[in-house]
Amino acid sequence: MHLHAVFVSLLRSCTISSKLFVTVCLFVAVNQNNALAQDASWTPVYENFTTKDGLPSMEVYYSYQDSQGYMWFATDRGVAKYNGDKFVTYTVKDGLTSNTVFKIEEDDIGRIWFLSDSPRLCYIENGKIEQYEFNHVIDSEFGIDGYVTSYTAWNFDNDQVLFSTYLLGSIKIDVNGVLTKPHLNYQSKSDSSRMTFFQLDGVILNGPPNLKNQNGILSLYSEKGRVLSKTMGSSYLPKTGEIDLKNSYIASGTSILIIGNNSEKLYDFEDNVYCVSVIDNHLWIGFGGEGGVRRYKIEGNSLIKVDQLFEGEIVTNIFRSNTNDYWFSTYNNGVLRIRDMKIHSLIGGTYTKESVFYLAKRGTDLLFSNSDGGMCFINQFTGKVRLNYRPRNKFRPKIIVDIHTQEVFLSSHTSIKNIENFGSTWVRNLSDSKLNKLKKDTYFGTHDIVNSEYGHITAGGFGLWFDSLNKFLPIKNGVQNLELEDKDHLWFSNYRKLQSINLKTWVVSKPKNKLLHQRINSIHKNNGITFFGTHGDGVVIKKGNEVTRLQTKFGEIQDFVTNIISTEKGPVWMMNHKIVSKMRQTVSGKFGIENFDLIDLDCEKINVIHPDDNYLYVGTNSGIRRIESAGAILKKKLPQLYLGSIKIGDSIIDSDNFKLRHNQGDLFIEFDAVSYENEPVVFRYRANEDEEWIQIRERFIRLNAFRDGDYHLEIQASIDGVNWTKSEYVDFEVLPPFWNTWWFIFIEVLLGAGLVFLAVRQRLKVVDKKHALEQKMIELQQEALTQQMNPHFIFNALGSVQNSILKGDSIQANKYLVKFSRLLRTGLNASRSRLIALEDDKELMENYLAVEKTRLGEGFSFSVEIRSNSEAYSLYISPFLLQPFLENSIKHGIGEDHVAGNVTVVYEQHLHFITCTIVDNGKGRLASNKIHQAGHTSHGTAIAFERIELFNRSNGSASKHEIVDLYDKEGLPIGTKVIFNVPTIRK
C-alpha cells in the first residue's frame, strides 16, 4: 500500500473528535547537491474536523474565510460557521434557499452569499439570512423548480449579481434587477453546437448549454468577441478562474486548460478535476476518484508537479486562510486543515538517511555521527561533504558539545582493561577548522564536559576528571551530566541520584529538596533557572532557593526527559525518544510549550538535539531534521474579537450606545473571538477603567443591579492570558429612578416648600387660635373677677364691716377687712396670669371662703384640700376656675339662713389631669330654683364652664364636668356636688 494511503487509513481509524495530528508524507526528490529541499520535503500536519466536532455533514463542498476571519463550510446539510472553537450551522429553517450549498462568497459590503442547488440566492447580513430581492427575476429565467448541479463562476460586488452555472447557463442582474445574458452575436452557425464561454467583468462565464456536442469543443470568447480558446476535450466545466494577470485556467472533466495572452496548454489527468485553487504561484488541484490533491508550480502556462497529498480522498475545495492554514473540503471525510509547520529534512552526503546519534554545528556545517560509527561534516545548505571519518573499530564517536563555550569534544569508545588505560578524547574548537588530539588522555566513557574557572571538568563512567588540576574524583556509578550552579558549585548526576560539589572545598553533598531525590537524566541552566530532566516526573526547576515542578501555561510536557539544552538567546529545548518540546517563559513566570512528535518529524526515534539561535537540529533514526526556533513561540496571532447581540430581557438592542432604566432587568451581551491557534480563548471585561478586570471563558456577559450613571464596558480576548486584543466597547447609561431625577427633586423642593409654607401657615393659625383662646380666657377671667367682685358682694362685705363697727366689735371688723383686702390683692394678682400654682389657687379659694365665713358667721365651715404626690407648687391651673361654683354653693345652696353650712373643696391629681370637686350641704338645685325667679341664669357658672372648656382645649385635653344633686336615704336633698377635670400642667 502507498504511504499516503496508509496515513489516510490511519486517519480514518482514529477517533475523529480528538483531532489526531497525522503526518502528510510528500514525495521527496533526493538531490545529492541540495541539502535542503523545502518544496520536496514540506512536512505539514493536518487535523480532521467531522460531525463529532460540529460539522453538519461529512460531505463538504466548499471552504471560505470571510473578512472577519470566520471559516465557512458548504455541505449537503446546510452551511457551518467556524470561529476556531465551535461550529454554528445555518439551514433552511434559518432562511437558506436550500440545505445543499455549493459555494460561499462575500461581497464588497460584507454580505456572505450562498449558492445552492436552487438558483435562488440568499445572503447573511448582521447574523440574519436575507433573501435576494430579485429572486423572482432568477425564477423567470430558470423556473421556480430550477436545479443547479454546480457553479462555474460568480461575483456579487458593486450591487450586482453575476454567476454562471453548469447546465443552466449564465446571467447578470444589475442593481435595478435588470437581467442580461452573455451576447452570442459572435457565434457562427458552425459553432452552434459548442459550449461557449465569455469574459465578463473579469469572470469567465459559460453560455447556453448544448448536450448534443459531438466534437467536445468549447469556445472561449472575450467580452468583445475575440476567440480565446477553440478546443478542449470535454464540455463539463466545474471550475474557471484567473492564475495571474496574464494567465487563466478552465478545468473541464479530466482536463485543465492554461490560457496565456497568446498561447494555451492543455493538461489531461486520469481523474476528474473537482477543484482548482491558486496559492503562492502554486496550482492546487483536487481530483475525484479518490485522487487526492496535487500541487504544481506554475511557470508561464506550464505546470510542474511538486507534491501529492490525501490519496484516497475526494477533495472538493482547497482554501488558504489568512492564518496560513490550508483547508481541504472532502466529499466523505469532513474538513482537513494543514498547519504549515517549518520542519525540513536535510539531505546530502553519504550518511544523511541513516540514524544520527550525535551532532553539533559550526557555522553552516553540521558534524554528526551515524549508526555504524561514520562521522561527517556537511554544509547544511549545499550538501557539500567537508570531512568523512570512519573509525577503525565499530564504536561510534560520541560528540559532546559545551553549549556555553561552543566547543565540541569527540570521545572514542574503546574497551579498557584497567583504570589506567582509557580511550582518547578529541576536541575541536568551533573557531578552528582542525581536529586536535589532546596531549593528555582522559577517562573512557566521557559523557559530559563543562568549562569552568577550574578548567575543563569531564564526566566519565567512573567519576570526575579535572583537567587543569590533573585530578580525578571517583564517583560510584559514574557521572552522566554536569552543570554549573555558579562558578564554585557544580551539579552532577548519574542514573541513580543527583549531587553537587563545592569546587573550593571539594565537599560533595546531595540536594535538600525531595523533588531532586530521584534519577536525573539531564541538567541545564538558562537565564538563572536550572532545569532538571527527570526519569518519569517531568521537569523540576530551581530558581534561587525555590525548587518546584515545571508549570506550563499551554501544552503538556513529557514525563521522561532525556536531554535539556538551549542557547543564550534561543528557547529551551527538551527531548526524549518520542517528543521534542520548545519552551519559553511567559511574563507571568510560567512556560509555554510547543511539542513536535514523531509524526511531525517523520521518523521513528529521536536520538539527539542541538540548537543554535535560529534552528534546532534533530538527529533521528532516519537522518537530520531542522526546526525553526527563532522568535518567541508565545507570540501567536491574537484572536479577532467581535461584539454580538445585546439583549435586555427578551429585547435586542441595536446600538452599542444605549440607555437603561434602573429597573429594566438583566443586560446580556454576546461576543465572539476567531482564533485558529489550537489554544482556548479567554476573555476579560470591566465596567469602567477604574475597576478590576474580570476574566472569563464564556462568550457572554450577564450584568444586573446597576447603579445609575455612565458605563464604558470594555471587553478583550487572549490565548495566553498575557497578550490581549484591542478592546471592544459597549457604552450605556443607567438612568436614575424618577425620584432621583433633577425634575423630581425640583418638584420635591417645591412641594416641600409648599408643605412648609402650609405647615407654618397652619402653625400660625394654631398660634393665633391659641392666642385668641388665651385672650378669651383672660377676658373671661376678668369677667369672672368682675362677677365675683360685683357691687353686691362688695356692699355685703362692707356692710358686714359696718355692723361689726356699730356693735363695737372693732376686732371682728378689722379681721374682715384684712381678709377682704387679701382677697382683693391676690385676686388682682391672679387675674394678670394665665396660670398660677395649684397651691396659690388653693390659697385664693381659702381667702374667698374666709371672707364669706366672716359674713355668714361661725355656723359656716369650709375645707380646701390638695391630694397630690407632687409638690403643689409644681402643678399649675388657671386661676378662679372654682370660685363661681363656690359662690353658687354659698349663695343659692346654703344661703344666709343656713345655720350649719359647709363647703368642701378637693384638688386631686391623676396621671394626666386634676379633678376638682366642690361639695356643699345646701338645699339643692331644685329648692333653690323655686326660691329664685323663673328664667334666672347664673352667668358666673356658665362663664366658669366655658373657661374650663377653653382651658382644656388649649392644652390638648378633653373637657369633662358634672353637677350632681345629693339626697339622703329618704330622698330629701342634702346638697350639691360639682366635678370637673383640668389637664395636669407642670413647670
Side-chain angles (χ1 to χ4, degrees):
M1 182 181 292
H2 197 283
L3 182 60
H4 302 288
V6 172
F7 278 104
V8 170
S9 299
L10 174 62
L11 173 69
R12 289 175 174 172
S13 65
C14 295
T15 302
I16 300 299
S17 61
S18 64
K19 297 186 179 70
L20 176 66
F21 286 91
V22 183
T23 300
V24 181
C25 292
L26 307 177
F27 289 113
V28 178
V30 179
N31 187 340
Q32 198 72 14
N33 296 320
N34 291 319
L36 178 59
Q38 180 170 349
D39 282 334
S41 60
W42 178 57
T43 311
V45 173
Y46 73 80
E47 57 184 317
N48 192 193
F49 297 93
T50 70
T51 52
K52 292 184 179 180
D53 301 300
L55 270 178
S57 172
M58 296 291 282
E59 189 171 324
V60 183
Y61 304 126
Y62 199 74
S63 303
Y64 183 78
Q65 186 176 37
D66 64 24
S67 58
Q68 291 187 314
Y70 289 97
M71 289 298 304
W72 292 85
F73 303 101
T75 79
D76 63 333
R77 296 184 180 180
V79 294
K81 178 182 177 183
Y82 183 56
N83 62 2
D85 178 60
K86 65 179 181 179
F87 292 88
V88 177
T89 300
Y90 297 88
T91 66
V92 291
K93 294 181 179 179
D94 304 296
L96 284 179
T97 56
S98 172
N99 282 337
T100 302
V101 179
F102 295 130
K103 307 290 183 184
I104 302 173
E105 178 83 0
E106 182 175 13
D107 65 16
D108 56 348
I109 60 174
R111 296 175 297 186
I112 310 297
W113 291 78
F114 305 110
L115 295 90
S116 65
D117 58 355
S118 166
R120 296 187 190 91
L121 303 177
C122 61
Y123 58 86
I124 190 167
E125 186 175 27
N126 298 323
K128 184 178 180 182
I129 295 179
E130 305 286 352
Q131 300 299 310
Y132 177 45
E133 61 178 326
F134 298 123
N135 271 338
H136 64 281
V137 177
I138 297 176
D139 290 339
S140 67
E141 179 66 20
F142 293 131
I144 296 177
D145 298 324
Y147 181 81
V148 180
T149 58
S150 69
Y151 286 81
T152 64
W154 59 95
N155 190 300
F156 300 97
D157 289 342
N158 302 318
D159 289 326
Q160 68 177 3
V161 168
L162 175 65
F163 63 85
S164 181
T165 69
Y166 176 60
L167 297 181
L168 290 180
S170 307
I171 63 172
K172 176 182 178 180
I173 304 177
D174 66 14
V175 65
N176 298 313
V178 177
L179 181 147
T180 58
K181 300 183 67 174
H183 205 283
L184 303 180
N185 291 339
Y186 302 105
Q187 275 192 291
S188 65
K189 293 183 179 179
S190 60
D191 294 330
S192 61
S193 63
R194 298 169 181 167
M195 180 79 77
T196 55
F197 296 87
F198 303 86
Q199 280 188 341
L200 183 62
D201 294 341
V203 177
I204 300 176
L205 303 175
N206 61 306
N210 191 329
L211 300 180
K212 297 180 179 181
N213 183 358
Q214 297 177 353
N215 299 321
I217 296 175
L218 298 113
S219 293
L220 180 66
Y221 293 89
S222 71
E223 192 171 0
K224 295 182 180 179
R226 182 174 70 86
V227 176
L228 299 180
S229 176
K230 270 193 168 184
T231 170
M232 196 170 178
S234 172
S235 61
Y236 175 69
L237 181 71
K239 185 78 172 180
T240 65
E242 295 183 352
I243 297 174
D244 50 37
L245 295 177
K246 297 180 180 180
N247 299 292
S248 299
Y249 67 85
I250 298 177
S252 177
T254 60
S255 303
I256 289 183
L257 180 66
I258 306 298
I259 306 168
N261 286 337
N262 298 305
S263 63
E264 58 187 50
K265 192 169 184 179
L266 184 67
Y267 291 87
D268 291 315
F269 306 98
E270 295 179 358
D271 298 313
N272 283 328
V273 176
Y274 267 54
C275 62
V276 183
S277 293
V278 180
I279 303 172
D280 289 343
N281 201 37
H282 285 75
L283 197 69
W284 296 69
I285 305 175
F287 293 95
E290 298 185 349
V293 174
R294 298 175 196 171
R295 183 167 63 130
Y296 294 87
K297 281 186 177 180
I298 305 172
E299 294 183 0
N301 59 2
S302 298
L303 300 182
I304 301 172
K305 184 179 176 181
V306 176
D307 298 320
Q308 172 77 50
L309 299 89
F310 305 123
E311 280 189 303
E313 291 287 352
I314 299 176
V315 177
T316 58
N317 185 61
I318 304 165
F319 182 84
R320 188 178 71 172
S321 65
N322 58 19
T323 56
N324 290 322
D325 291 344
Y326 295 83
W327 302 82
F328 300 84
S329 304
T330 72
Y331 198 78
N332 298 307
N333 204 31
V335 176
L336 305 174
R337 180 178 73 161
I338 283 182
R339 299 168 57 206
D340 189 11
M341 301 187 68
K342 304 298 183 182
I343 301 175
H344 313 299
S345 295
L346 301 182
I347 59 177
T350 307
Y351 311 113
T352 54
K353 293 183 181 180
E354 299 177 0
S355 185
V356 176
F357 286 90
Y358 307 106
L359 64 86
K361 180 175 176 288
R362 176 185 179 270
T364 59
D365 289 345
L366 289 179
L367 170 62
F368 61 93
S369 62
N370 59 18
S371 55
D372 64 356
M375 187 174 66
C376 176
F377 271 97
I378 66 168
N379 185 291
Q380 61 172 311
F381 297 109
T382 67
K384 182 179 178 180
V385 179
R386 297 186 56 189
L387 173 66
N388 265 328
Y389 168 76
R390 187 175 296 277
R392 294 178 182 177
N393 54 55
K394 294 183 179 180
F395 292 97
R396 295 186 296 269
K398 184 173 184 179
I399 302 173
I400 302 169
V401 183
D402 186 340
I403 199 68
H404 303 292
T405 63
Q406 291 299 298
E407 290 180 315
V408 178
F409 299 85
L410 309 179
S411 173
S412 62
H413 289 235
T414 59
S415 60
I416 61 169
K417 295 182 179 179
N418 56 65
I419 197 151
E420 300 297 333
N421 184 14
F422 299 98
S424 298
T425 297
W426 298 75
V427 62
R428 181 179 190 271
N429 192 298
L430 292 183
S431 62
D432 195 357
S433 62
K434 297 180 181 179
L435 289 174
N436 299 307
K437 185 176 181 180
L438 286 179
K439 294 180 179 179
K440 296 180 180 180
D441 289 339
T442 56
Y443 291 88
F444 168 75
T446 303
H447 298 139
D448 202 357
I449 296 176
V450 296
N451 190 14
S452 69
E453 292 188 2
Y454 302 89
H456 281 101
I457 305 173
T458 304
F462 298 93
L464 296 173
W465 170 258
F466 296 85
D467 181 54
S468 61
L469 301 176
N470 196 24
K471 183 174 181 179
F472 175 71
L473 179 65
I475 301 294
K476 186 178 180 181
N477 299 313
V479 178
Q480 298 293 325
N481 304 286
L482 298 176
E483 184 61 70
L484 289 167
E485 175 74 11
D486 52 49
K487 65 184 183 64
D488 294 326
H489 295 84
L490 176 73
W491 290 103
F492 63 91
S493 70
N494 52 36
Y495 291 133
R496 295 178 65 90
K497 60 183 176 181
L498 173 71
Q499 294 176 287
S500 66
I501 181 172
N502 188 316
L503 298 178
K504 282 186 175 181
T505 64
W506 293 87
V507 174
V508 176
S509 60
K510 67 176 183 179
K512 296 180 181 180
N513 195 289
K514 293 183 179 180
L515 289 174
L516 299 176
H517 294 176
Q518 57 180 311
R519 175 173 168 176
I520 304 296
N521 294 330
S522 181
I523 314 170
H524 181 72
K525 189 171 184 179
N526 177 276
N527 292 327
I529 300 176
T530 304
F531 297 85
F532 300 90
T534 73
H535 197 72
D537 199 24
V539 175
V540 176
I541 60 174
K542 182 177 184 295
K543 188 174 183 180
N545 295 323
E546 184 181 1
V547 179
T548 59
R549 282 192 180 88
L550 179 65
Q551 298 293 321
T552 62
K553 194 168 185 65
F554 304 102
E556 295 181 356
I557 200 166
Q558 59 263 34
D559 293 332
F560 293 89
V561 179
T562 57
N563 191 17
I564 302 176
I565 194 169
S566 72
T567 61
E568 183 178 351
K569 297 180 181 178
V572 176
W573 296 91
M574 61 185 184
M575 62 158 283
N576 58 27
H577 296 310
K578 294 183 178 181
I579 297 177
V580 174
S581 297
K582 181 165 70 170
M583 301 185 294
R584 193 175 289 274
Q585 193 171 12
T586 67
V587 176
S588 63
K590 294 187 177 181
F591 285 82
I593 302 294
E594 184 174 1
N595 290 323
F596 302 84
D597 58 18
L598 297 178
I599 295 177
D600 299 332
L601 298 169
D602 191 18
C603 65
E604 296 176 355
K605 185 179 179 182
I606 302 168
N607 296 324
V608 64
I609 57 176
H610 176 78
D612 63 16
D613 289 337
N614 298 311
Y615 300 98
L616 177 76
Y617 299 90
V618 184
T620 75
N621 70 311
S622 58
I624 301 173
R625 307 289 185 266
R626 189 184 75 180
I627 301 173
E628 293 185 8
S629 64
I633 64 171
L634 295 180
K635 285 189 176 179
K636 297 184 178 181
K637 188 173 182 180
L638 290 174
Q640 293 173 270
L641 179 64
Y642 300 105
L643 284 177
S645 62
I646 302 174
K647 297 180 181 178
I648 301 175
D650 295 329
S651 302
I652 297 178
I653 304 299
D654 295 330
S655 171
D656 57 357
N657 193 335
F658 52 91
K659 295 181 179 181
L660 292 175
R661 297 191 302 273
H662 76 283
N663 60 346
Q664 204 159 357
D666 291 346
L667 177 62
F668 186 80
I669 302 172
E670 290 183 305
F671 44 86
D672 198 9
V674 180
S675 174
Y676 304 103
E677 295 293 342
N678 284 336
E679 304 288 357
V681 180
V682 294
F683 304 89
R684 66 179 185 180
Y685 71 93
R686 57 184 179 183
N688 280 309
E689 290 184 356
D690 56 346
E691 296 187 6
E692 294 292 330
W693 288 101
I694 299 174
Q695 190 163 313
I696 58 175
R697 289 191 179 273
E698 297 81 9
R699 298 183 183 226
F700 64 86
I701 301 171
R702 188 184 298 276
L703 301 171
N704 51 30
F706 289 106
R707 296 189 302 271
D708 56 284
D710 294 325
Y711 288 86
H712 193 56
L713 185 67
E714 188 175 0
I715 307 169
Q716 295 179 345
S718 173
I719 58 174
D720 59 8
V722 176
N723 301 294
W724 296 88
T725 62
K726 291 183 179 180
S727 298
E728 290 289 337
Y729 295 97
V730 178
D731 294 323
F732 60 95
E733 179 186 359
V734 177
L735 300 174
F738 70 89
W739 55 83
N740 285 342
T741 56
W742 67 267
W743 56 267
F744 186 81
I745 294 174
F746 180 72
I747 292 174
E748 279 187 315
V749 171
L750 288 179
L751 290 175
L755 291 174
V756 169
F757 172 76
L758 292 176
V760 171
R761 183 178 180 183
Q762 186 65 26
R763 178 62 181 169
L764 290 176
K765 286 183 176 180
V766 171
V767 171
D768 290 344
K769 188 174 182 180
K770 188 173 183 179
H771 180 70
L773 289 174
E774 291 177 350
Q775 287 297 114
K776 180 66 175 177
M777 288 186 66
I778 292 173
E779 292 174 2
L780 291 172
Q781 187 172 314
Q782 291 174 348
E783 184 178 351
L785 182 60
T786 302
Q787 287 291 329
Q788 69 184 22
M789 299 299 179
N790 57 61
H792 178 72
F793 173 76
I794 294 174
F795 175 78
N796 288 338
L798 292 176
S800 298
V801 172
Q802 184 182 13
N803 289 332
S804 297
I805 293 173
L806 291 175
K807 292 178 180 180
D809 191 354
S810 59
I811 296 174
Q812 182 65 23
N814 184 56
K815 287 181 180 181
Y816 193 88
L817 285 174
V818 169
K819 292 179 180 180
F820 182 68
S821 63
R822 184 182 299 169
L823 175 62
L824 291 177
R825 184 175 61 252
T826 55
L828 290 173
N829 290 336
S831 66
R832 299 189 186 99
S833 301
R834 178 173 173 270
L835 296 172
I836 62 173
L838 189 62
E839 188 68 34
D840 292 338
D841 192 72
K842 172 180 178 264
E843 181 182 358
L844 185 61
M845 295 303 102
E846 285 178 336
N847 289 336
Y848 174 76
L849 291 172
V851 170
E852 290 291 2
K853 179 178 175 64
T854 303
R855 184 176 65 85
L856 295 175
E858 291 299 328
F860 175 75
S861 63
F862 66 90
S863 67
V864 181
E865 180 185 0
I866 296 177
R867 299 175 183 174
S868 172
N869 296 326
S870 305
E871 292 290 335
Y873 281 102
S874 65
L875 301 176
Y876 284 77
I877 194 173
S878 182
F880 286 111
L881 286 179
L882 279 72
Q883 188 273 335
F885 302 106
L886 296 179
E887 181 180 352
N888 274 344
S889 293
I890 294 172
K891 183 177 180 181
H892 302 291
I894 297 174
E896 295 181 359
D897 56 347
H898 199 295
V899 294
N902 179 261
V903 176
T904 302
V905 179
V906 177
Y907 300 87
E908 186 173 2
Q909 180 194 357
H910 300 279
L911 182 60
H912 299 295
F913 57 89
I914 297 173
T915 301
C916 301
T917 305
I918 300 104
V919 180
D920 65 66
N921 61 349
K923 59 180 67 71
R925 286 187 296 171
L926 181 61
S928 176
N929 289 335
K930 291 180 179 181
I931 296 173
H932 293 87
Q933 296 178 357
H936 175 76
T937 303
S938 176
H939 294 288
T941 302
I943 292 173
F945 281 132
E946 187 177 355
R947 282 188 62 207
I948 291 170
E949 185 175 357
L950 289 174
F951 181 69
N952 287 345
R953 283 168 53 195
S954 66
N955 290 280
S957 179
S959 178
K960 183 178 180 181
H961 60 272
E962 184 181 9
I963 300 177
V964 180
D965 294 317
L966 302 178
Y967 299 92
D968 59 11
K969 294 179 180 181
E970 286 76 18
L972 298 176
I974 57 173
T976 307
K977 179 191 289 187
V978 178
I979 305 172
F980 63 88
N981 295 336
V982 295
T984 300
I985 300 175
R986 300 177 184 272
K987 285 190 178 182

